[in-house]
Amino acid sequence: MKTKIVTIGKADSPERISEKLVEAGRIIRQGGLVAFPTETVYGLGGDALNPASSRKIYAAKGRPGDNPLIVHIADIEHLQQLVCEIPVKAQKLAEAFWPGPLTMIYQKSALVPYQTTGGLDTVAVRMPVHSIARRFIQEAGGYVAAPSANLSGKPSPTSAKYVIQDMDGRIDMILSADGAEIGLESTIVDVTGEVPVILRPGYITQQMVSAVAGQTDMDVTIYDNSSTEAPRAPGMKYRHYAPRGELVIVEGELQDVVCYINEQAALHAARKERTGVIGTQETVAQYHASSVKNAGSRRDAGAVARQLYTILREFDDEDVAYIYSESFAGAFEDEGFGQAVMNRLLKAAGHKVVQV
Ligand code: AMP
Ligand code: MG
């Protein structure tokens, strides 16, 4: 399949932007797939109400069939069609955080095909704030199923370059525009029970959710890797966000961490193995390795979130075989969002953590 790559930029007139979005929307309504930017990461969109479109999304990503898709809407009125009921707490959360990086899980209506929900009776819904994403969803008919636009298992794409790398030849169109300012996937909250439960941490933190909806729990599998329970967001059980190189997180006093990583990098260099380091503004000058990346200040969860997936992808581009990252546990000023960053880093590392 030939993939059309369409860039929307400052040079485009409003009419030209409209034309491009109308064309993208038409592809979705005709059962095709279009990748598009949002404020979190790029999404791989298809018509959420068309079972054949959802099947195509799974095929394009190589995604396991039991890992449900998130339905994106641009208009709050459209939520009613997708769900059986809108619980009061969910209504409050929508008022507080939509449009934005929050996904909510509801009991699904008969309109939503099981192909979109991975066979579940619940449906995940999000209303993004990104203006191109919203206009695209409207042109597409209002209901766009969209997981992240990466091949299954790889880090979510935060730029069109990495969407093209994974999806060129597999989908009809890629919309390229500024976006992914947050850099991590949305927070997922299950609102089907009395107490909301966070199934995937993100920019909207547990504290922010509980300030609006009262007591809010966190799925135990997010913070306890030894838990024998299955994650309630099916996707969280899969290998995820992972670079090709073997990633290890190093935890301890910062100077000890730097020393350990440099020692490992020297050992690898002696064996002619390429090593990557995820360092920070505070430490980056002290590392000696094949490729040293600066993820931003150790205190700034937002900066590290924006950088993380790009860095992991760059290591793949550079054929790095071993990757060491400083741990950020306890380092970030924004502990809530920091938890989301550490969650993704731990998953990317398959929970390999070395204490020094
Ligand atoms: P992605 O869009 O790639 O971030 O994947 C969507 C995430 O939402 C996956 O982790 C899914 O498991 C989760 N998800 C989607 N629908 C549901 C649902 N009905 N119940 C629980 N988790 C869901
Ligand atoms: Mg994903």
Side-chain angles (χ1 to χ4, degrees), residues 63 67-70 105 120 122-124 146-148 185 188 199-200 232-236:
R63 184 175 175 109
N67 186 1
L69 311 176
I70 294 173
I105 309 288
L120 297 177
T122 51
V123 59
S148 48
E185 306 79 0
I188 301 180
L199 308 189
R200 179 173 72 184
R232 286 169 53 183
M236 296 295 274

Side-chain angles (χ1 to χ4, degrees), residues 141-165:
Y143 306 96
V144 174
S148 48
N150 51 284
L151 288 173
S152 193
K154 296 241 266 168
S156 303
T158 48
S159 66
K161 173 182 169 187
Y162 292 118
V163 181
I164 295 167
Q165 203 176 72

Side-chain angles (χ1 to χ4, degrees), residues 1 3-4 23-38 41-61 63 69-73 116 126 128 132-133 136-150 157 163 167 170-175:
M1 172 187 294
T3 302
K4 188 165 179 180
E23 186 188 354
R26 191 182 308 126
I27 291 173
I28 298 289
R29 282 186 278 108
Q30 292 173 347
L33 303 185
V34 177
F36 62 101
T38 79
V41 301
Y42 271 75
L44 171 53
D47 180 354
L49 307 184
N50 180 347
S53 297
S54 292
R55 275 196 293 268
K56 280 190 193 172
I57 293 177
Y58 286 95
K61 279 179 69 85
R63 184 175 175 109
L69 311 176
I70 294 173
V71 180
H72 290 66
I73 56 174
T116 299
R126 169 164 117 81
I132 300 287
F136 161 65
I137 293 164
Q138 280 159 350
E139 294 297 343
Y143 306 96
V144 174
S148 48
N150 51 284
V163 181
M167 290 298 152
R170 294 175 162 262
I171 63 177
D172 300 279
M173 183 186 275
I174 296 171
L175 283 176

Side-chain angles (χ1 to χ4, degrees), residues 67-214:
N67 186 1
L69 311 176
I70 294 173
V71 180
H72 290 66
I73 56 174
D75 182 343
I76 190 80
E77 302 296 314
H78 283 152
L79 176 64
Q80 277 155 12
Q81 321 293 320
L82 297 174
V83 305
C84 289
E85 62 156 333
I86 302 173
V88 176
K89 287 178 183 173
Q91 178 65 31
K92 285 189 187 168
L93 288 170
E95 280 163 21
F97 301 118
W98 278 3
L102 177 72
T103 296
M104 283 188 269
I105 309 288
Y106 303 84
Q107 294 297 338
K108 82 171 192 70
S109 72
L111 191 66
V112 185
Y114 282 110
Q115 284 80 359
T116 299
T117 66
L120 297 177
D121 288 318
T122 51
V123 59
V125 186
R126 169 164 117 81
M127 183 156 81
V129 69
H130 192 284
S131 64
I132 300 287
R134 292 165 63 80
R135 289 177 58 190
F136 161 65
I137 293 164
Q138 280 159 350
E139 294 297 343
Y143 306 96
V144 174
S148 48
N150 51 284
L151 288 173
S152 193
K154 296 241 266 168
S156 303
T158 48
S159 66
K161 173 182 169 187
Y162 292 118
V163 181
I164 295 167
Q165 203 176 72
D166 281 12
M167 290 298 152
D168 195 16
R170 294 175 162 262
I171 63 177
D172 300 279
M173 183 186 275
I174 296 171
L175 283 176
S176 166
D178 288 344
E181 299 81 10
I182 293 175
L184 296 187
E185 306 79 0
S186 60
T187 306
I188 301 180
V189 184
D190 184 341
V191 292
T192 58
E194 190 48 40
V195 176
V197 184
I198 295 185
L199 308 189
R200 179 173 72 184
Y203 181 79
I204 306 290
T205 63
Q206 183 177 21
Q207 202 184 10
M208 289 158 79
V209 173
S210 62
V212 173

